[in-house]
Amino acid sequence: MVLALSKTCEIYQKGLDFDFEVLKVRRFIPRTDVDNLEVYNVHIFFYHRNFVVHAVVFFKEKNFLWHYKYQGAKFDNVLFVKKESFENFTTVPVHLNKDKSLVYDLPSNPAQFLYQVETAEFFQCQHVRKDKLAVQHPTLTGEQMRLRATIAIQELKAIFLSRFINFWLWSESLDDWFYTCDIFRTTYELSVAVSDLSIKDVNLVELWKGNKYLELVKTLHMGNKTAWKFILDCHGLRINIFVGYEEDDYIWFFDETAKENEPNRLIYTKLRICSSEVLKQRIYVPCLPEIFFNNTESLSDQFIETYMTH
């Protein structure tokens, strides 16, 4: 049994009256309002024989929620033990008995919350490459680029996630995020990707009609493969959406530099997707294997025939 708590909740050991044991996992956490550390409970286990109640403490981080990982050996098969993040959500009370004395709060949209569990593992960007200066957009300032990118990410979430479609950073945006923690270091475009399997019943052209922030500019198609690239405009910022075509043990992605009918953006399936933070927004990224931590080559090159899942 799993409970989610905010960090302001107090845990009372009432369970001890029923011979429950309590294990508290604590961590020093910096406070934003004062210049010091405070100890918080980050995981709390109430257990009796084979029955375990796992209370996970959620923390507000920018515009999303996340929790610390559980480092311990006492419980091996429990969920929510890795560092994970979730979109901010509201809850509704549910009464479990007729006299309404026993109440649980559940996410107001349980399906959306549970859908995030598989991709909730949090992956941090790395400061392993220091480029001289970020590229300059022809017409937008750096602040304007980031504002438009934030709006674009929010719009993509509203359109894709409401339909249970995951999208993740891709191409140069993924390179820049991973190596510099800045999606606009070597490019002034925002690139994301989706799988064709997740949109097989969705008309992507129709999705953007009437949207006041994202306007469809062009669609590109790779030969006889269904590897598409959609180019959108967000008030001067170019948004690239790559649609990967899954075939046998591979995913093909559109590449404008490839030879005709031979898309050379080839990766091994299946991509495992994690969460991260970009511009104070929770966003998905590929869960990168350890090889990328110690390699200074471009991820664009690395993804060709070298991506392995774990």
Side-chain angles (χ1 to χ4, degrees):
M1 181 178 182
V2 180
L3 301 176
L5 308 169
S6 72
K7 75 174 181 180
T8 57
C9 289
E10 294 289 340
I11 299 297
Y12 298 97
Q13 299 185 16
K14 293 182 179 179
L16 294 178
D17 297 335
F18 301 95
D19 295 325
F20 275 84
E21 295 185 67
V22 178
L23 172 64
K24 296 181 180 180
V25 180
R26 298 181 175 182
R27 182 161 181 163
F28 283 100
I29 301 175
R31 288 183 52 180
T32 57
D33 54 338
V34 292
D35 189 20
N36 64 357
L37 299 175
E38 285 198 0
V39 178
Y40 287 96
N41 296 320
V42 294
H43 290 270
I44 304 165
F45 294 91
F46 301 87
Y47 58 99
H48 176 69
R49 296 179 183 173
N50 294 326
F51 181 73
V52 179
V53 177
H54 179 193
V56 184
V57 182
F58 279 75
F59 293 80
K60 182 71 177 294
E61 176 69 19
K62 301 180 175 68
N63 293 313
F64 55 90
L65 300 173
W66 70 292
H67 64 79
Y68 283 94
K69 67 186 297 184
Y70 164 65
Q71 293 177 308
K74 191 171 184 65
F75 305 102
D76 296 328
N77 298 316
V78 293
L79 298 173
F80 302 98
V81 295
K82 299 178 180 179
K83 183 179 179 181
E84 297 174 325
S85 67
F86 294 84
E87 295 291 343
N88 204 353
F89 60 90
T90 57
T91 60
V92 293
V94 176
H95 300 281
L96 299 184
N97 52 2
K98 292 183 179 180
D99 62 4
K100 298 183 179 181
S101 60
L102 187 58
V103 180
Y104 280 99
D105 284 333
L106 295 179
S108 54
N109 191 333
Q112 282 288 350
F113 178 82
L114 293 174
Y115 181 68
Q116 297 178 62
V117 172
E118 185 178 357
T119 55
E121 183 178 350
F122 197 84
F123 193 90
Q124 192 66 47
C125 59
Q126 309 293 310
H127 286 283
V128 296
R129 188 179 70 198
K130 295 183 179 179
D131 296 309
K132 295 180 180 179
L133 293 173
V135 295
Q136 300 296 313
H137 193 280
T139 59
L140 302 176
T141 65
E143 182 179 356
Q144 290 172 330
M145 288 169 56
R146 284 162 177 75
L147 176 60
R148 284 158 174 75
T150 301
I151 293 173
I153 290 172
Q154 292 172 341
E155 288 297 305
L156 290 173
K157 283 184 180 182
I159 292 171
F160 282 144
L161 299 189
S162 63
R163 294 171 171 82
F164 298 97
I165 299 172
N166 287 335
F167 69 95
W168 58 89
L169 287 182
W170 193 242
S171 194
E172 288 81 3
S173 296
L174 180 61
D175 286 2
D176 286 352
W177 164 83
F178 178 68
Y179 284 120
T180 70
C181 297
D182 181 0
I183 59 172
F184 293 126
R185 203 66 185 174
T186 64
T187 180
Y188 45 75
E189 301 174 359
L190 173 63
S191 295
V192 299
V194 298
S195 167
D196 71 313
L197 296 182
S198 65
I199 61 167
K200 58 183 179 180
D201 297 322
V202 178
N203 186 335
L204 288 186
V205 175
E206 295 293 326
L207 287 183
W208 320 113
K209 287 187 175 180
N211 191 297
K212 62 180 181 180
Y213 298 109
L214 299 177
E215 179 184 0
L216 181 63
V217 177
K218 185 188 298 185
T219 60
L220 301 172
H221 182 227
M222 180 56 70
N224 58 0
K225 305 288 184 184
T226 54
W228 290 81
K229 178 180 179 181
F230 292 82
I231 300 176
L232 308 178
D233 176 77
C234 181
H235 297 280
L237 179 68
R238 176 166 163 168
I239 313 296
N240 303 310
I241 301 178
F242 293 88
V243 180
Y245 171 67
E246 296 199 29
E247 181 182 48
D248 298 327
D249 295 329
Y250 306 98
I251 301 181
W252 298 95
F253 281 93
F254 184 93
D255 192 330
E256 293 174 273
T257 64
K259 296 179 181 179
E260 186 176 0
N261 297 331
E262 294 183 5
N264 64 7
R265 299 279 286 183
L266 173 64
I267 63 173
Y268 292 102
T269 56
K270 290 203 175 182
L271 275 172
R272 195 166 70 87
I273 303 301
C274 285
S275 300
S276 192
E277 180 265 326
V278 171
L279 300 175
K280 299 183 180 180
Q281 304 295 314
R282 177 179 178 268
I283 196 169
Y284 292 131
V285 297
C287 304
L288 301 176
E290 191 173 355
I291 183 176
F292 296 122
F293 286 94
N294 301 313
N295 199 310
T296 58
E297 295 182 32
S298 167
L299 275 181
S300 296
D301 298 330
Q302 284 288 341
F303 269 106
I304 301 174
E305 299 182 356
T306 59
Y307 189 96
M308 300 297 293
T309 59
H310 64 298

